Amino acid sequence: MEILLLGFGEAGQAFAQGWSSSGLPLTLRSYDVKLEAVGHALTAPAEAFGVRLVGSDASGFGGVRHVVSLVTADQSLVAARQTARHLGPGQVYWDLNSVAPKTKRAAAEIIAASGAVYVDVGVLSPVHPRLHRAPLAVATPMSAPARDAAAAMGWQVAHWFDQVGDAAALKLLRSVVIKGIEALILECVDGGWKLGLTDAVLASLAPSFPGIDWPDRAAYVLERVDRHGP
């Protein structure tokens, strides 16, 4: 099975890393719009994970059965439009981008017009440390072939839906809680820093929430926001 990763940032590299060490019979290639500007930064991980970097012309996309889109949210529809020019019957476009359900449905129309199959996918955890085995939600009316393909790629699908947009909705509704908790932790820690009470406040949470290491959780949230918040 040959897979093209559309976008070779943190998520794309994480999937490639997982696949490269999985032992699955997969061949990987990737296209990223940043190749021309910062291609040198992508070369090392591509070589490490056995990924062939390709251009955006038809030759880069030709012969690939599965395209896995992992771009930034603002480029989701742009990526679908540009990729659709090179797709046709027999190819599958897996949209793993974190965007609104209506955006997934718009992308589905674009991909369907090419003759390829569109699949809405929501990633339900950070890609590290589970890499390509991070839990997923998948929404597509073509569930039978999608299940077989997902299994062949070693994916762990926690939820299946028939309607495009449902996987995106689950992802975003889950994020209401996840991002909300992150925001509360940030507000708490920021106030704690200003008053010199951060350690005491985090320690005081332990009796109310048994089993949570609050200093560790706070450090994790700060790292994630520092990396992705901008």
Side-chain angles (χ1 to χ4, degrees):
M1 179 185 291
E2 187 154 20
I3 300 171
L4 186 144
L5 284 161
L6 199 59
F8 200 55
E10 181 188 13
Q13 291 178 30
F15 272 71
Q17 180 184 354
W19 278 326
S20 69
S21 61
S22 68
L24 295 171
L26 305 174
T27 302
L28 306 176
R29 63 175 89 166
S30 179
Y31 169 71
D32 193 298
V33 293
K34 295 180 180 178
L35 278 175
E36 295 181 3
V38 293
H40 61 282
L42 303 179
T43 301
E47 292 178 351
F49 306 141
V51 177
R52 179 166 65 93
L53 298 176
V54 299
S56 60
D57 57 9
S59 63
F61 289 76
V64 174
R65 179 70 185 275
H66 299 277
V67 176
V68 176
S69 182
L70 286 161
V71 302
T72 56
D74 62 328
Q75 295 299 304
S76 177
L77 284 180
V78 175
R81 291 191 189 99
Q82 294 181 349
T83 304
R85 297 178 300 177
H86 307 305
L87 297 180
Q91 292 178 291
V92 184
Y93 187 92
W94 303 80
D95 190 343
L96 276 68
N97 302 306
S98 182
V99 295
K102 67 178 181 180
T103 305
K104 290 286 184 88
R105 288 190 284 269
E109 292 181 3
I110 294 168
I111 298 300
S114 73
V117 172
Y118 177 91
V119 184
D120 166 25
V121 184
V123 183
L124 304 182
S125 78
V127 291
H128 292 285
R130 298 186 65 180
L131 306 176
H132 72 294
R133 296 177 67 84
L136 306 174
V138 175
T140 174
M142 307 287 288
S143 61
R147 286 176 187 269
D148 292 340
M153 291 189 281
W155 281 353
Q156 303 298 300
V157 181
H159 304 276
W160 287 94
F161 303 102
D162 295 328
Q163 181 173 309
V164 168
D166 283 357
L170 174 60
K171 158 80 173 179
L172 294 177
L173 289 171
R174 177 181 179 276
S175 292
V176 172
V177 174
I178 300 299
K179 306 301 183 185
I181 291 173
E182 289 181 352
L184 291 172
I185 290 174
L186 283 171
E187 185 174 350
C188 175
V189 170
D190 183 58
W193 278 338
K194 293 173 181 176
L195 298 173
L197 294 171
T198 298
D199 291 343
V201 171
L202 293 177
S204 76
L205 293 172
S208 299
F209 300 93
I212 298 178
D213 184 333
W214 284 100
D216 181 70
R217 173 57 54 176
Y220 172 79
V221 167
L222 291 171
E223 186 278 330
R224 297 294 296 174
V225 172
D226 182 61
R227 180 182 302 187
H228 297 290

